[in-house]
Amino acid sequence: MINKIKMLNDLTINKIAAGEVVEAPYSVIKELTENAIDANSTNITVEIKEGGQKLIRVSDNGDGIYEEDVEAAFMRHATSKIIDLEDLNTILTLGFRGEALASIASVSQIEITTKPRNQSYGIYLEIEGGVVINKKQVGCSNGTTITVKNLFFNTPARFKFMKSPQAEATKISELITRLALSQAKIGFKYINNNNIMFTTSGDGHLKEAILSILDKDLFKSLIPIHNQKEPIKLQGYIGQPTYARGNRNYEIVFVNGRYIKSKLVYKAIEDGYKEKLPINKFPVCIMNIEISPQLIDVNIHPMKTEIKFHNQQMVYDLIYNTIRNTLVENTTVPFFSLSNRDKKNHHNPVNMPFSPNLQENKSTYNTHNNNEFTNKTESNQLFFEGYREQIDNNIFINNDMSENVIINEDHIQTEVTQENFLSSLLYNHKVIGQLFNTYIIVEKDCSMILIDQHAAHERIVYNQMLQDFKNNKVVTQRLLTPKVLELSPEDFLLAMENVNKFNSLGFGIEVFGHNTIIIREVPLIMGTPRNFDFFIDILDDFKNEKNHESYFYEKIIRKSCREAIKAMDKLNLQEINALIKDLCKVQPPLTCPHGRPIVLALSKYEIEKNFKRVQ
């Protein structure tokens, strides 16, 4: 009888393993560069050609490999980093599985030159398809250089899954960027098709590495973060909310210097920015989490980018609270410039076609909690007379129009935190008027301030509801015509499960028959809801979102707040001042609950520069 079950030889085993370890050129570079980092290198050079498909070379000045260990390094499950299973509980090196070099060698042509510091000569080793074909002593500098050529030359089926050289190079660039940022104490040089893409100094300063690798605008927006709660230490940089991105690529996280991807960490970061960013925008965050290796598990996947935390809630809370508090203390009022506009996107107003006016359902601010808001039938004459008087008093005052005054912009346009801005706005402003019945124009401290009245009022109402909820002071109103909602069995059960949460927010909900509820009361601040679709939306969000209980509460308040906010309307001077007064009472951020900015500032210097009054 012929045996059907057979033992595979080592070469076949390595090729199979390579399918998991060596997915593409970027995974080869990841393994080789992490080995260079683990070898105590202070300088690492990564070079690729044709997206790594033609050539990959990683050079370092690290510890090197002794002659008797060079061949063993390319054997499967051979490693210098652990001895037994218990060592995994204390592992701090980036590599430890002993699979990478054997897997890479089995599907490529490799040359390695290596020399330890206390060995007088180096060793050159050449391997093709996992077989050593040349070994000799050579003269070389301390450290290791590994060159990988013709990746997947003996597994042509893999080429069908390879991306274009440009796409592979993009992925490699992203990887090298993160490895360089994770090791600011190591000098990196990255070369693509003989072009130096970036170099870092290796001086140990993360911010200098960021400046060398990423763009200057991002660098200017960074805020340092640092917090510690045993056994976790958090440090790095986060970006101002004004510098948001369209995806998570700039949420760069390291754990003990290892680049990782973690849904838990991403959620903590994004929750920390909640209400500060527009929808579908993501923050910039470059940070390292230092934690005892006994409290994490990195041995989940051969790529070692997935990680499990033993105490997820502690990690979430530290990241969330650190980012939230840092942003409150450091988020600045955004200044915009007239001179730095993108000319390609700047349209000549003469050539712009007229568009029909879009009318929005308008109503007064009758749900506003400030009594200074008056009936909309009141005349605006007082406001506009005051406005004309301001114009009359300021027109043609300066007779020295031809004189250029040189002003240092740094003395005019200084960064002001939102907290300080709000504390000084109430007693230090002059209302100029209203623009497009949407934006309030205010003069303050040599700057023109634009306030989005709709976003401002939305933030005020949102904060009011949130505060009332926390203090159990939600004021309700009884509906003249209660709303009966017939739900699906699933939605009905979900509503009943959370009926106490709805009631605590001011919704009077009762069972009204089979799979039917009746809503008799709603929060007073909502006014009279135009429809009750928001209730179904809340149930849908609760089904689809796996969030903390507090997020569910905030979701309800946010949707209720959306119902309460009134459309943009023409305001008189009293109403504007009342809105500003209430805005000064809110805590940052100066964004609506959906992340849109409330305030923009334009400095006097910027205005006068564009009128050619200053240089």
Side-chain angles (χ1 to χ4, degrees), residues 24-70:
Y26 81 92
S27 54
V28 174
I29 291 174
K30 177 181 182 295
E31 298 294 344
L32 297 182
T33 306
E34 287 183 346
N35 280 346
I37 293 170
D38 289 340
N40 301 310
S41 305
T42 58
N43 286 290
I44 297 174
T45 299
V46 178
E47 181 180 359
I48 64 170
K49 290 183 180 178
E50 301 297 329
Q53 298 175 21
K54 183 178 180 181
L55 177 129
I56 295 170
R57 180 179 290 121
V58 177
S59 304
D60 67 64
N61 64 346
D63 295 337
I65 306 173
Y66 287 98
E67 180 178 7
E68 56 269 25
D69 292 331
V70 174

Side-chain angles (χ1 to χ4, degrees), residues 397-579:
I397 296 285
N398 190 341
N399 295 319
D400 300 324
M401 296 292 289
S402 61
E403 199 173 316
N404 272 340
V405 181
I406 299 176
I407 301 176
N408 185 344
E409 184 175 3
D410 292 337
H411 294 307
I412 299 299
Q413 183 176 323
T414 56
E415 287 192 345
V416 180
T417 64
Q418 293 184 1
E419 202 167 22
N420 292 338
F421 172 81
L422 289 171
S423 65
S424 65
L425 177 62
L426 182 61
Y427 304 105
N428 182 21
H429 77 272
K430 180 169 69 174
V431 175
I432 304 300
Q434 195 179 13
L435 182 65
F436 311 135
N437 291 338
T438 302
Y439 306 102
I440 297 168
I441 307 174
V442 174
E443 179 185 330
K444 180 186 183 299
D445 295 336
C446 292
S447 295
M448 181 181 75
I449 310 296
L450 292 177
I451 301 174
D452 184 331
Q453 65 192 39
H454 182 68
H457 186 234
E458 191 173 8
R459 166 57 63 181
I460 292 166
V461 176
Y462 174 80
N463 283 13
Q464 180 69 50
M465 285 196 72
L466 190 61
Q467 189 64 37
D468 287 346
F469 167 72
K470 290 179 178 178
N471 296 331
N472 296 316
K473 293 181 180 178
V474 179
V475 180
T476 64
Q477 61 178 345
R478 200 165 187 85
L479 297 175
L480 292 176
T481 305
K483 179 65 177 178
V484 176
L485 294 179
E486 186 174 346
L487 306 174
S488 68
E490 182 182 359
D491 287 345
F492 177 78
L493 291 174
L494 188 62
M496 290 300 97
E497 180 185 347
N498 296 283
V499 67
N500 290 334
K501 297 175 182 178
F502 281 106
N503 289 340
S504 67
L505 286 165
F507 295 93
I509 299 175
E510 300 173 7
V511 177
F512 197 69
H514 182 65
N515 292 334
T516 304
I517 64 170
I518 185 169
I519 302 178
R520 300 185 183 277
E521 293 180 326
V522 295
L524 178 63
I525 203 165
M526 281 184 62
T528 302
R530 293 184 291 274
N531 59 64
F532 286 79
D533 292 344
F534 70 90
F535 188 86
I536 304 300
D537 291 340
I538 291 171
L539 292 175
D540 287 341
D541 284 338
F542 187 54
K543 278 187 290 188
N544 297 330
E545 300 275 359
K546 294 182 179 179
N547 290 307
H548 292 75
E549 187 173 89
S550 61
Y551 182 72
F552 173 58
Y553 280 64
E554 290 180 16
K555 201 79 170 180
I556 297 175
I557 296 170
R558 185 174 302 181
K559 290 186 179 293
S560 302
C561 192
R562 188 180 301 162
E563 292 289 324
I565 293 297
K566 305 306 176 184
M568 302 169 195
D569 209 348
K570 183 179 290 187
L571 305 178
N572 61 39
L573 184 59
Q574 287 177 301
E575 291 173 323
I576 290 174
N577 282 325
L579 184 63

